[in-house]
Amino acid sequence: PNKPKRSDQQVPAGETSLRLIQYTSELDADTGFSVGWFQLPQAPAESAVRGFLEATENGSVAAIKGKLLDSSFTTIDGHPAVEYLSTGPGGHFVRSRTILIGKDVYVLQVVSKTRQAPKYKEFIDSFKVV
C-alpha cells in the first residue's frame, strides 16, 4: 500500500465522544487498509464486553451507512474481539476486526470491491498484541 495518512478525530460514543487515531492507506483504486485506535475512560466489566463489541461493530457500520452481512466473536491472543463484514458506500465491502485490550480498542479494516478482500488475512495477521 501507499504511505499511510493519519487522522485524529472525535467520534460520538453514547453521551460523550472519544478520540480516534486512524491510519489509512490504499493498495489500489479498489482496496484500502485502515488501522484505528481509541481509549475508553475505563475497561468494560467482563459481563459487558460482548455488548460493547456489538455496539462498536454497529456504530462502525452505521457510520458508513452500511449493512452488516456477517459477524463472529472470537479472542485474539486472549483478548475479546469481533470480526465482521459489512457493505459500504459505492458497493464496497468492509471486512473488520475490533479487539478490546483493557480500555484500549483497536480496529483493523480492509475495504474492497470484492467480498473476499485481497490481502485481508495477510494484513490482519501482520498485527500482534504485545
Side-chain angles (χ1 to χ4, degrees), residues 20-24 32-38 53 56-57 60 76-77 81-86 93-101 105-111 117 119-129:
L20 171 65
I21 308 290
Q22 191 168 24
Y23 293 88
T24 57
F33 300 91
S34 171
V35 177
W37 168 84
F38 63 91
L53 288 171
T56 302
E57 168 188 76
S60 176
I76 306 298
D77 296 328
V82 62
E83 295 199 38
Y84 51 101
L85 174 67
S86 62
F93 292 92
V94 183
R95 191 165 290 278
S96 306
R97 175 183 281 178
T98 299
I99 308 167
L100 175 64
I101 304 172
V105 181
Y106 299 90
V107 181
L108 310 170
Q109 297 181 316
V110 176
V111 178
K119 307 277 186 190
Y120 175 76
K121 183 160 176 37
E122 186 178 324
F123 176 69
I124 291 295
D125 289 347
S126 71
F127 292 88
K128 303 293 178 207
V129 176

Side-chain angles (χ1 to χ4, degrees), residues 14-35:
E15 297 178 16
T16 186
S17 66
L18 299 169
R19 179 180 180 202
L20 171 65
I21 308 290
Q22 191 168 24
Y23 293 88
T24 57
S25 178
E26 290 80 32
L27 179 63
D28 54 39
D30 293 328
T31 308
F33 300 91
S34 171
V35 177

Side-chain angles (χ1 to χ4, degrees), residues 40 42-57 73-75 78-82 98-103 105:
L40 303 168
Q42 63 185 24
E46 190 173 325
S47 62
V49 166
R50 187 176 182 112
F52 167 77
L53 288 171
E54 283 179 345
T56 302
E57 168 188 76
F73 292 89
T74 187
T75 57
H79 301 282
V82 62
T98 299
I99 308 167
L100 175 64
I101 304 172
K103 60 184 185 175
V105 181

